Amino acid sequence: MPVLCGVLAVQGSFGLHARVLERCGAAWREVRTPADLEGLTHIIIPGGESTTMHKLGAHYGLLAPLARAIGNGMAAFGTCAGAILLGDGPPPPPRLGLAPLIVVRNAYGRQKESFTADVAMPSLGGSFRGIFIRAPKIELPPAPPPGTEVLGRCGDAPVMVKYGRMLLATFHPELTGETRVHRFFLDM
Ligand code: GLN
């Protein structure tokens, strides 16, 4: 099936994800209404502000159809706020809870605790520049749920994790000018 990648475009860094998809040569469309989900094979939920994204997603009636589509096998990539929404954990915001992974919001602190660090990605060609902006942390239990694969680490911390057809990154791969992570996602 040819790839058609949606980019949730209610708030946050959606424009830059679209630019990376263009550089990958992938077909894409912005998603603002349930009808925009039609025919998508993949979707990116960008970074931004997860509480606002959740509110707007609910307002546009998007959350339930989005969760259904992902539950039915559409591949999903959540970056930062997007990973918070895909994962599980205490509100705010209420989570979609599609990936049974605890994602702790603002886990490094406030805006001034944002940072850049090397992410080790041995299976994706080596290190990647991770831009962490008010980033969350993914808390994996000693025995993570089956289907969980840690693809990126910053020190010991898992910062990019695949769970089935979902990819969660706590950093912003759309800000670096690299296409490696997006290409990996499009191949999922
Ligand atoms: N801290 C933000 C939130 O809670 C996420 C930040 C980001 O996406 N860069 O939604």
Side-chain angles (χ1 to χ4, degrees):
M1 190 161 41
V3 165
L4 176 55
C5 186
V7 184
L8 188 69
V10 296
Q11 194 267 336
S13 178
F14 55 87
L16 291 172
H17 278 288
R19 299 294 85 74
V20 184
L21 293 173
E22 275 162 10
R23 288 211 301 282
C24 293
W28 65 277
R29 96 159 59 105
E30 290 184 347
V31 172
R32 291 198 177 83
T33 68
D36 296 332
L37 292 166
E38 198 60 45
L40 297 182
T41 56
H42 292 65
I43 188 149
I44 295 176
I45 307 178
E49 178 50 54
S50 54
T51 50
T52 306
M53 240 184 267
H54 188 277
K55 274 189 194 136
L56 290 172
H59 178 78
Y60 293 122
L62 258 175
L63 296 180
L66 175 67
R68 219 168 17 246
I70 296 171
N72 287 337
M74 182 172 72
F77 181 19
T79 58
C80 207
I84 294 170
L85 289 171
L86 276 182
D88 231 325
R95 314 301 183 91
L96 297 177
L98 295 165
L101 305 171
I102 302 295
V103 184
V104 181
R105 186 168 174 250
N106 295 341
Y108 297 90
R110 303 169 68 108
Q111 185 71 21
K112 64 180 176 20
E113 273 81 50
S114 299
F115 60 96
T116 301
D118 236 39
V119 175
M121 281 187 198
S123 58
L124 271 79
S127 108
F128 193 96
R129 185 164 158 255
I131 299 177
F132 295 82
I133 304 171
R134 278 196 307 132
K137 282 186 185 169
I138 300 172
E139 279 183 0
L140 290 182
T148 305
E149 220 180 313
V150 177
L151 296 171
R153 282 186 195 276
C154 190
D156 284 339
V159 296
M160 188 163 89
V161 176
K162 182 175 179 290
Y163 173 78
R165 298 198 74 214
M166 283 176 257
L167 185 64
L168 282 72
T170 64
F171 57 96
H172 284 263
E174 80 284 8
L175 292 178
T176 56
E178 276 216 54
T179 56
R180 256 191 291 160
V181 170
H182 288 75
R183 285 185 197 280
F184 174 84
F185 170 60
L186 294 169
D187 285 342
M188 272 170 49

